[in-house]
Amino acid sequence: MELQEARRTLVVPGEAFAEGEYKILTPSYVIRLDKRYVATVVGLAQVNDEAKEISIIPLEGCYIPQPEDVVVGYVVDVGLTSWELDIRAPFTATLYAVDFLGRPVNPAKEDLNNYLTIGDTILAKVEVFDRNRGPIVTTKGKGLGKVVRGTVIEISPVKVARVIGRKGSMHQILEGETGCEVIVARNGRILANCPNRELEDILIMAIIKIDREAHIPGLTDRVKEFIIREKVKRGLIGGETKTD
Amino acid sequence: MEKPKLIKENGLRHDGRRPNELRPIRMSVGILNKASGSALVEYGETKVLAAVHGPREIPQRHLLLPDRAVIRCRYHMLSFSTHERKSPVPTRREIELSKVIREALEPVVISETFPRTAIDVFIEIINADGGTRTAAVTAASLALADAGIPMKDLVVGVAVGKVDGVLVLDIDEEEDMFGEADMPVAIAPSLGIVTLLQLNGVLTREEFSEALRLALAGANLIYEKAREALRDRYMKVRVEE
């Protein structure tokens, strides 16, 4: 099925970009004044006249946790029964020792610093987050837990969707073309495990390119081309022999 | 210092502007990389830098509100921004301006999106040549937009003054010092609301209406430039070949 073509424009706060009756898909970024739909952030407004839907892809902003989001956090504080993680949200996230260790802890006998300490990198999943409490994360799940190797690349959290791409297309290209294992966390931290330094450099450059050019169409093809060109430049693949 | 002639015989002002003319305005957005958002705004010789941090958790937990973010604002003049060295200690005037600028921004920021957090706005006056509070409002709203904080509209400021009996737009320091009245105004043009209005000096009712009309016209021009400055940040990004 072909996707319906939507009008896309760059909007700034206070700009009315549609009029009439539409369904707002991104309520945080659009407000309705009388019959006009006004943007509240700098972003790309999409107006789908057939489906009568409007949405805005923001170009700036911080990370707002949502349950089920996979995030990369750094330990910033060690408590008696929990750790505090910086997940680039307005709030620090709590990781309970019971959850991480899988058993109850006795703070009188154990020091949590022995398991995780300040500066450690954790791959976790947001379990709960609402307006009354700070986010609580869990490390129960496949691949979650303390990160012991790899590189973390930080990009703007609002551009994570572009690094994943439509149906994961960009993610596939990044992994397929560089041979790196790439985990894209929702808070804009990308965890990469690469076979060698050169491929890692190419991956980082490609991700920076995505962050910079996220609002310009045709990104996926440009990134694919970019990676191939960089690989040729470094002699990782020849002109005609194309092996990974 | 003797009072200079502020309106010349040909009706032009001491710097050659017409009464309803703005100073040259320049704006750039996203110039600091450690802050969540930033903007540099120049109204002629007046130069203002604004930076936004947050929304974030703050150690002063008693300040936080359960249903929305608090906006904290600091307006500060750098020691070298004036003719004579200004002590860096916040003065009574700076504390007042921090408050009125904060109140000028609060109606447009959708602070309910971030309960229990604080949004910090830091404004530094790099060079002061009249109209610093209005330039500060413009810079702060651009910095907030750059930080990705949802806002109903941008707020822009401009001052109207009365010098030698003539109402003039966007007054500079000399006109402020020797003029009869000074009226800074900040508006959110798309929402059609005035978020800051102060008046120093005396205006008649008719003069006040005329001054407000002049300010709205000026603010609309500045508003267009502000929107352009925000867009420019992305329009200037070109595909790397």
Side-chain angles (χ1 to χ4, degrees), chain A residues 142-164:
Chain A
K142 195 183 162 213
L144 304 180
K146 184 173 171 179
V147 176
V148 287
R149 60 193 202 96
T151 311
V152 175
I153 305 144
E154 280 197 359
I155 59 159
S156 169
V158 291
K159 289 169 186 163
V160 164
R162 305 310 306 264
V163 178
I164 296 167

Side-chain angles (χ1 to χ4, degrees), chain A residues 4 39 46 52 60 71 86 103 106-107 117 151 160-161 182 197 232 242:
Chain A
Q4 285 172 327
Q46 297 189 107
K52 287 283 171 196
E60 304 286 348
V71 294
D86 158 36
R103 60 174 169 81
N106 182 352
T117 189
T151 311
V160 164
V182 181
R197 182 61 196 267
V232 171
K242 227 177 145 183

Side-chain angles (χ1 to χ4, degrees), chain B residues 219-233:
Chain B
N220 278 322
L221 292 174
I222 298 170
Y223 185 57
E224 276 318 306
K225 290 213 174 203
R227 291 168 95 157
E228 215 171 281
L230 276 175
R231 277 201 204 99
D232 258 11
R233 181 146 189 234

Side-chain angles (χ1 to χ4, degrees), chain B residues 43-214:
Chain B
Y43 285 12
E45 293 296 309
T46 294
K47 215 174 206 189
V48 180
L49 181 64
V52 168
H53 280 268
R56 61 181 177 183
E57 272 184 323
I58 50 168
Q60 301 86 337
R61 304 201 77 91
H62 62 279
L63 295 175
L64 297 178
L65 299 172
D67 60 334
R68 62 194 149 97
V70 282
I71 299 171
R72 298 192 295 178
C73 180
R74 185 180 96 132
Y75 165 100
H76 183 246
M77 293 178 100
L78 290 171
S79 315
F80 51 80
S81 63
T82 46
H83 286 294
E84 268 179 41
R85 177 182 182 274
K86 192 214 146 269
S87 157
V89 181
T91 58
R92 181 204 56 77
R93 177 180 171 274
E94 283 169 298
I95 295 167
E96 178 205 318
L97 292 192
S98 302
K99 176 184 176 285
V100 298
I101 293 168
R102 190 192 77 225
E103 288 174 351
L105 298 169
E106 275 171 343
V108 297
V109 176
I110 307 174
S111 52
E112 292 80 10
T113 322
F114 311 106
R116 293 174 295 116
T117 60
I119 299 166
D120 287 327
V121 183
F122 299 101
I123 299 160
E124 293 291 341
I125 310 299
I126 300 169
N127 199 38
D129 186 37
T132 56
R133 80 190 68 185
T134 49
V137 170
T138 311
S141 86
L142 281 175
L144 282 167
D146 183 43
I149 292 164
M151 294 156 82
K152 291 179 199 149
D153 199 1
L154 296 172
V155 189
V156 290
V158 72
V160 179
K162 185 178 160 192
V163 294
D164 292 351
V166 182
L167 288 174
V168 293
L169 183 63
D170 192 16
I171 55 172
D172 62 17
E173 192 175 60
E174 215 159 303
E175 291 171 326
D176 186 19
M177 227 154 54
F178 298 104
E180 293 105 67
D182 164 26
M183 185 171 90
V185 180
I187 62 164
S190 294
L191 290 180
I193 55 171
V194 175
T195 64
L196 180 150
L197 182 86
Q198 293 180 301
L199 174 58
N200 210 338
V202 182
L203 292 179
T204 63
R205 273 170 184 251
E206 292 71 37
E207 279 173 337
F208 174 78
S209 310
E210 176 59 20
L212 194 60
R213 199 193 56 75
L214 205 59

Side-chain angles (χ1 to χ4, degrees), chain A residues 10-16 28-29 31 33 36 38-42 59-62 64 89-92 129-134 159 209 212-213 215-216 222 226 229, chain B residues 36 54-57 66-68 110 112-117 145-154 190-191 223 226-227 230-235 237-241:
Chain A
L10 185 62
V11 290
V12 298
E15 191 169 332
S28 331
Y29 307 126
I31 51 166
L33 296 174
R36 294 178 306 145
V38 175
T40 63
V41 287
V42 184
L59 289 168
E60 304 286 348
C62 64
I64 303 292
F91 317 93
T92 52
F129 175 64
D130 53 44
R131 292 174 68 87
N132 307 312
R133 270 196 306 177
K159 289 169 186 163
K209 188 180 169 75
R212 215 178 72 93
E213 299 172 13
H215 60 294
I216 306 172
R222 279 205 310 281
F226 172 82
R229 215 169 40 231
Chain B
S36 315
R56 61 181 177 183
E57 272 184 323
D67 60 334
R68 62 194 149 97
I110 307 174
E112 292 80 10
T113 322
F114 311 106
R116 293 174 295 116
T117 60
D146 183 43
I149 292 164
M151 294 156 82
K152 291 179 199 149
D153 199 1
L154 296 172
S190 294
L191 290 180
Y223 185 57
R227 291 168 95 157
L230 276 175
R231 277 201 204 99
D232 258 11
R233 181 146 189 234
Y234 293 95
M235 293 312 217
V237 176
R238 288 278 164 259
V239 174
E240 251 174 17
E241 282 310 322

